[in-house]
């Protein structure tokens, strides 16, 4: 593994056009669990699997239950950026990383200092009224129990892409543009099983795709450098 990290270090040193594509594994070391991998736990407390609760139709039909789960399992305000977030922000300041494309909704890349962050699934930090579009901070979600309501009487929704909802076109096109023009694509902390987000890496046309993940992914054979390990361990050594 050390040999591969040295190789990655050299590749990064030689490039000024790197794109990072990340998933839940980026934030697990900040104490934010991947709700997909701990599915079973929720069945003890909730009547539905998280994929059902976090769907658009459930949000509309059972708004109160949605927010109960959401406040309990999706908001981690005390979480701090870890070494991976910090190093990625550092590489952006050094004009090496052009964009961070993330499937996470926790805002930790921005907290670490990254500027060009493309949030495919939105952010828990942004919320808006479905009626008048007024924006609200996360405090409104936490305090507006049981259901956060706008001053106009409209329902407030997190700016998070729920199941059954499409991705934001402008974010997707920016991500495609960055990935397709990238010299190096580093894919980390994602099982590449969540579509359509995962399909975006197909737009990469170069020959320096680095895959860093603890478990096996369906893209392993297509990577140019495969590092099977934790992101923190790799980034701490860069
Ligand atoms: Zn409103």
């Amino acid at each position: 593994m050390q040999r591969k990290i040295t190789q990655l270090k050299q590749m990064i040193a030689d490039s000024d056009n790197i794109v990072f594509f990340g998933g839940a594994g980026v934030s697990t070391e900040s104490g934010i669990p991947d709700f997909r991998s701990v599915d079973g736990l929720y069945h003890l407390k909730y009547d539905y699997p998280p994929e059902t609760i976090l769907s658009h139709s459930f949000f509309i039909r059972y708004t109160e239950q949605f927010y109960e789960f959401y406040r309990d399992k999706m908001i981690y305000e005390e979480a701090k950026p870890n070494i991976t977030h910090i190093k990625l922000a550092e590489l952006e300041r050094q004009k090496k990383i052009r964009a961070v494309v993330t499937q996470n909704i926790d805002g930790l890349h921005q907290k670490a200092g990254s500027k060009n962050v493309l949030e495919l699934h939105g952010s828990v930090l942004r919320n808006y009224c479905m009626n008048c579009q007024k924006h609200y901070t996360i405090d409104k979600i936490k305090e507006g129990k049981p259901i956060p309501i706008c001053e106009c009487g409209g329902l407030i929704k997190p700016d998070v892409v729920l199941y059954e909802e499409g991705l934001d076109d402008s974010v997707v096109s920016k991500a495609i543009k960055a990935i397709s023009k990238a010299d190096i694509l580093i894919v980390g902390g994602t099982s590449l099983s969540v579509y359509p987000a995962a399909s975006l890496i197909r737009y990469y046309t170069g020959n320096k795709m680095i895959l860093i993940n603890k478990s096996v992914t369906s893209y392993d054979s297509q990577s140019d450098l495969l590092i099977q390990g934790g992101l923190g361990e790799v980034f701490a050594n860069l």
Side-chain angles (χ1 to χ4, degrees):
M1 178 143 147
Q2 197 50 52
R3 186 183 53 83
K4 287 186 172 182
I5 293 173
T6 307
Q7 204 181 333
L8 174 59
K9 224 169 158 175
Q10 191 56 50
M11 288 163 99
I12 291 172
D14 294 340
S15 178
D16 64 353
N17 184 7
I18 305 165
V19 169
F20 179 83
F21 182 96
V26 176
S27 290
T28 45
E29 286 172 48
S30 290
I32 301 178
D34 178 0
F35 69 83
R36 280 177 213 87
S37 65
V38 285
D39 204 309
L41 287 177
Y42 298 115
H43 289 299
L44 299 173
K45 189 170 168 192
Y46 293 92
D47 297 336
Y48 303 92
E51 286 84 353
T52 302
I53 300 174
L54 296 171
S55 69
H56 183 83
S57 52
F58 194 93
F59 173 76
I60 298 297
R61 230 175 288 159
Y62 307 104
T63 314
E64 196 173 323
Q65 287 95 318
F66 170 91
Y67 270 119
E68 198 186 323
F69 177 88
Y70 185 84
R71 284 190 197 95
D72 190 20
K73 299 291 173 197
M74 305 305 284
I75 297 176
Y76 293 88
E77 258 208 310
E78 68 296 340
K80 291 184 177 61
N82 61 54
I83 187 72
T84 305
H85 299 106
I86 292 164
K87 287 275 180 173
L88 287 168
E90 210 173 286
L91 289 168
E92 186 188 56
R93 281 195 297 276
Q94 294 166 1
K95 309 239 181 287
K96 294 199 159 288
I97 288 209
R98 297 281 179 100
V100 168
V101 182
T102 181
Q103 300 169 80
N104 298 342
I105 56 175
D106 51 44
L108 287 181
H109 286 294
Q110 290 93 331
K111 254 188 204 168
S114 285
K115 301 279 182 242
N116 192 22
V117 183
L118 302 169
E119 297 172 307
L120 295 171
H121 294 153
S123 171
V124 295
L125 301 179
R126 296 187 300 268
N127 306 277
Y128 66 94
C129 168
M130 293 177 81
N131 182 42
C132 74
Q133 315 300 321
K134 184 178 162 133
H135 285 70
Y136 286 94
T137 65
I138 198 165
D139 293 337
K140 184 75 179 175
I141 303 297
K142 289 192 322 199
E143 291 154 14
K145 287 180 183 173
I147 295 172
I149 299 292
C150 177
E151 53 199 25
C152 81
L155 172 62
I156 297 171
K157 182 182 180 294
D159 188 6
V160 162
V161 179
L162 301 177
Y163 288 94
E164 303 164 357
E165 292 178 344
L167 304 187
D168 183 320
D169 285 339
S170 76
V171 178
V172 170
S173 55
K174 279 180 201 160
I176 289 175
K177 202 173 164 193
I179 291 169
S180 62
K181 292 202 299 193
D183 168 33
I184 295 179
L185 179 66
I186 304 176
V187 180
T190 170
S191 57
L192 293 170
S193 59
V194 178
Y195 288 88
S199 59
L200 291 182
I201 69 166
R202 294 196 194 128
Y203 288 92
Y204 177 65
T205 54
N207 58 2
K208 289 171 211 146
M209 184 168 104
I210 294 104
L211 208 59
I212 309 168
N213 207 43
K214 276 182 181 163
S215 54
V216 174
T217 80
S218 51
Y219 282 84
D220 284 4
S221 61
Q222 289 168 54
S223 69
D224 301 291
L225 180 64
L226 178 65
I227 305 179
Q228 273 177 327
L231 276 171
E233 196 184 349
V234 175
F235 276 83
N237 285 294
L238 287 182

